[in-house]
């Protein structure tokens, strides 16, 4: 039996950085690494377990027996155990058997830094490498042109386990199959980015991936690490960016996971008021512990470095920011200033964002943050958290509340629509219609719309048209782009058969054209986060439930005029104020027949008259189709 040989990949500087919480490439040191020592191939193992009495590597190479391959603890009080085991090969399964100094507690844990894991419900780590020959050099050199804040950013949110399955056996597609089917579909529908709900390894399918155990391993449900790299590669070759959901907010207490790792509260906060999440019954990271900060920030940089991710969407930021989040009185403790903000989290998030943006060009971080916490997407240098974008949850809630109302009542609730413009430029907002809006009895987006079938789909097209012309980037959950009728079910495929029906096919055509409109009209993206890019024409026509506004780009001639009619009444001779003379051309109309609409539209060239209206010197008479968005250029 091959014994453990003393060996280390750590320098004294590595250890100093780790202890200080500043080592952001721990994945190069901790974990299992295929190397050669004195000409002998094998695996170097290193694991952080500071309260351990002993640590053994157990696996198929030693028949899962403890004591045969014990690691040595470093002399420097880092709590790192390490050693080299000869002749262990790629593909070998293993775990760490840890006997704690705390009352002799014994845990058997998956490797927190494993690059690959067994397919659930199996729980072992797998020895693997990250070798891959990338073909996306062109994308990586120019991705700032795709990912910049002044670029079109339209995201298709995908849950890989339920986007599409093999119909005969309800089997998952593989990463390689997604690299053809998903890539072609996203390219066809015109989205600029795909966002993957968590693809890091997770044990429990109903968690949708938001309860992670393998932070450095793409889930083996769909293939191995190189096959996921292949999927990212093909997306990039098709000109499509990749956003990964990242979950530093909590983790499950599964026996093989991070919880109680070495018999102590190693990764989780030891105070239950800060270390346990009551909503999700999961554990919360100790953001004030230096080594935990190094683990998390290293994990973020890992996915950007080895998997060429273009953005990280950070889940549940609000739950991290507030000590009293989802807790009753007496279940939380104020910070040192008597406030409810988690100061360790705030410091951690700032450092995370600084590390991402200082190490990688052309990437973004996106916060799913549901409160009014200030300056989430503002630079840390001026006191912000440093994210590139933030989800605009208020817009989502207000807009869906408005659209569910029967059209006869909408004139009383126009403020629901217009209120978002009061704060639209306080952050760099992304408009989300995400997976959370189509589950747990909320109904699908399509089924929330009022009226008969024609009105439901007209309202849906109107909603999407309003979304794509409203300032901010866009996110749409899979299935919404063709008007999925039922709620999302993670256990089965989307209802692709619906595309045989004209209304559903029409919505897909609409989304394709909206994506094209967004990408080809600079007024819709160049100043999407600036007050200079938006101007109301009229937000006060409550009686007719009509709003009109101007979107502006860097050049005045690129401006577009948007008019929305939120009732089914066709409005002829509807006068709208125009900022200058010339002619109007309708370039988009959500009521077009090819989308399933009634086909009411304007003539190709509309004369602008020198007649003051809406506070402007010029105006034009338009035809407003029922339940529609119309976009015009001068």
């Amino acid at each position: 039996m091959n014994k453990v040989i003393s060996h280390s990949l750590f320098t004294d500087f590595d250890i100093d950085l780790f202890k200080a919480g500043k080592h952001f490439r721990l994945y190069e040191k901790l974990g299992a690494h295929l190397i050669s020592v004195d000409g002998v191939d094998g695996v170097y193992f290193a694991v952080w377990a500071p309260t351990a009495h002993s640590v053994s590597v157990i696996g198929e190479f030693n028949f899962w027996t403890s004591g045969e391959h014990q690691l040595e603890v470093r002399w420097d009080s880092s709590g790192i155990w390490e050693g080299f085991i000869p002749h262990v090969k790629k593909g070998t399964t293993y775990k760490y058997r840890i006997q704690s100094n705390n009352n002799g507690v014994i845990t058997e844990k998956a490797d927190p830094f494993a690059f690959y894991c067994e397919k659930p419900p199996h729980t072992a780590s797998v020895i693997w490498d990250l070798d891959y020959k990338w073909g996306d050099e062109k994308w990586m050199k120019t991705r700032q042109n795709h990912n910049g804040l002044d670029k079109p950013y339209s995201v298709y949110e995908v849950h890989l386990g339920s986007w599409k399955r093999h119909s005969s056996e309800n089997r998952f597609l593989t990463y390689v199959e997604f690299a053809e089917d998903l890539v072609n579909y996203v390219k066809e529908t015109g989205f600029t980015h795909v966002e993957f709900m968590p693809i890091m390894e997770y044990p429990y399918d109903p968690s949708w991936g938001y309860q992670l155990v393998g932070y450095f391993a793409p889930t083996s449900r769909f293939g191995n690490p190189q096959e996921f790299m292949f999927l990212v590669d093909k997306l990039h070759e098709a000109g499509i960016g990749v956003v990964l959901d990242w979950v530093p907010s909590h983790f499950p207490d599964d026996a093989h996971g991070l919880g109680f790792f070495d018999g102590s509260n190693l990764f989780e906060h030891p105070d239950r008021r800060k270390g346990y999440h009551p909503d999700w019954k999961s554990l919360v990271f100790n953001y004030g512990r230096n080594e935990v900060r190094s683990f998390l920030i290293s994990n973020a940089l890992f996915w950007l470095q080895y998997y060429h991710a273009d953005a990280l969407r950070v889940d549940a930021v609000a739950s991290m920011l507030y000590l009293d989040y989802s807790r009753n009185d007496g279940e939380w403790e104020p910070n040192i200033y008597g406030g409810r903000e988690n100061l360790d989290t705030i410091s951690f998030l700032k450092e995370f964002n600084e590390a991402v943006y200082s190490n990688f060009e052309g990437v973004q971080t996106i916060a799913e943050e549901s409160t009014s916490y200030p300056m989430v997407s503002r630079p840390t240098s001026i006191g912000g958290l440093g994210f590139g974008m933030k989800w605009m949850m208020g817009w989502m809630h207000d807009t869906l509340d408005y659209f569910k109302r029967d059209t006869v009542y909408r004139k009383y609730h126009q403020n629901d629509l217009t209120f978002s413009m009061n704060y639209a430029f306080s952050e760099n907002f992304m408009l989300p219609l995400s997976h959370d809006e189509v589950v747990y009895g909320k109904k699908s987006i399509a089924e929330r719309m009022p009226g008969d079938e024609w009105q439901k789909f007209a309202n849906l097209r109107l909603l999407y048209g309003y979304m794509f012309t409203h300032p901010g980037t866009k996110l749409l959950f899979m299935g919404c782009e063709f008007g999925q009728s039922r709620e999302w079910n993670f256990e089965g495929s989307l209802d692709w058969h619906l595309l045989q029906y004209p209304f559903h096919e029409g919505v897909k055509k609409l989304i394709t054209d909206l994506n094209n409109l967004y990408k080809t009209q600079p007024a819709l993206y160049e100043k999407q986060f600036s007050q200079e890019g938006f101007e109301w024409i009229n937000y006060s026509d409550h009686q007719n439930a009509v709003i009109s506004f101007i979107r502006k780009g860097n050049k005045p001639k690129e401006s577009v005029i948007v008019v929305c009619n939120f009732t089914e009444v066709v409005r002829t001779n509807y006068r709208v104020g125009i900022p200058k003379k010339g002619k109007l051309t309708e370039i988009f109309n959500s009521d077009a027949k090819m989308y399933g609409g009634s086909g009411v539209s304007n003539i190709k060239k509309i004369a602008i008259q020198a007649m003051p209206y809406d506070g402007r010197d010029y105006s034009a008479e338009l035809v407003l189709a029922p339940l529609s968005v119309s976009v015009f250029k001068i």
Side-chain angles (χ1 to χ4, degrees), residues 158-163 197 205-210 434-440 443-444 477-478 484-494:
V158 173
H159 177 261
L160 283 178
S162 57
W163 181 72
M197 292 169 65
D205 282 354
S207 79
W208 311 335
Y210 289 100
S434 74
H435 64 274
D436 279 330
E437 307 318 311
V438 293
V439 290
Y440 300 143
K443 300 182 180 179
S444 69
F477 183 57
M478 63 182 198
Q484 169 112 353
S485 299
R486 65 187 177 97
E487 282 191 343
W488 170 49
N489 174 18
F490 74 90
E491 295 181 299
S493 174
L494 295 178

Side-chain angles (χ1 to χ4, degrees), residues 469-597:
T469 55
H470 188 288
T473 54
K474 328 297 175 187
L475 179 138
L476 196 63
F477 183 57
M478 63 182 198
C480 295
E481 81 281 3
F482 62 79
Q484 169 112 353
S485 299
R486 65 187 177 97
E487 282 191 343
W488 170 49
N489 174 18
F490 74 90
E491 295 181 299
S493 174
L494 295 178
D495 293 333
W496 294 104
H497 66 278
L498 294 175
L499 284 169
Q500 67 184 300
Y501 302 110
F503 280 134
H504 294 277
E505 177 63 21
V507 173
K508 181 189 168 189
K509 288 179 180 176
L510 175 103
I511 289 295
T512 302
D513 286 353
L514 282 171
N515 274 322
N516 185 61
L517 182 76
Y518 181 36
K519 291 186 290 187
T520 58
Q521 297 299 321
L524 295 178
Y525 62 80
E526 285 182 339
K527 295 183 177 182
Q528 57 193 344
F529 301 127
S530 170
Q531 181 68 59
E532 296 176 355
F534 178 89
E535 181 183 341
W536 280 116
I537 295 175
N538 191 332
Y539 58 84
S540 60
D541 186 4
H542 303 263
Q543 195 62 38
N544 291 314
V546 173
I547 62 172
S548 51
F549 53 87
I550 304 171
R551 292 295 309 279
K552 304 174 185 179
N554 293 330
K555 300 176 182 178
K557 66 179 182 180
E558 293 174 342
S559 297
V560 298
I561 292 172
V562 181
V563 185
C564 304
N565 177 14
F566 293 98
T567 73
E568 67 273 27
V569 178
V570 177
R571 308 211 179 271
T572 58
N573 304 319
Y574 189 88
R575 188 165 292 278
V576 174
I578 307 295
K580 62 181 181 179
K581 61 184 177 181
K583 292 184 180 296
L584 283 183
T585 302
E586 188 176 66
I587 60 173
F588 176 82
N589 186 331
S590 67
D591 190 51
K593 286 188 175 181
M594 62 180 171
Y595 307 140

Side-chain angles (χ1 to χ4, degrees), residues 70 105 134 336 365 380 384 409 480:
Q70 288 198 10
V105 170
W134 287 88
I336 58 173
T365 61
T380 58
Y409 301 115
C480 295

Side-chain angles (χ1 to χ4, degrees), residues 441-458:
K442 295 178 182 176
K443 300 182 180 179
S444 69
I445 301 295
E447 283 303 305
R448 293 194 195 194
M449 302 295 108
D452 59 22
E453 185 181 37
W454 189 93
Q455 290 174 330
K456 280 183 182 294
F457 280 91

Side-chain angles (χ1 to χ4, degrees), residues 77-92:
S77 71
S78 62
I80 293 172
W81 297 72
E82 61 185 351
F84 174 76
I85 304 179
H87 308 302
V88 178
K89 298 183 183 301
K90 177 179 176 179
T92 303

Side-chain angles (χ1 to χ4, degrees), residues 394-404 416-417 463 466:
W395 171 88
M396 179 271 296
H397 288 298
D398 289 347
T399 301
L400 290 179
D401 281 349
Y402 178 85
F403 268 87
K404 74 181 182 183
D416 289 349
L417 278 178
L463 168 63
Y466 173 60

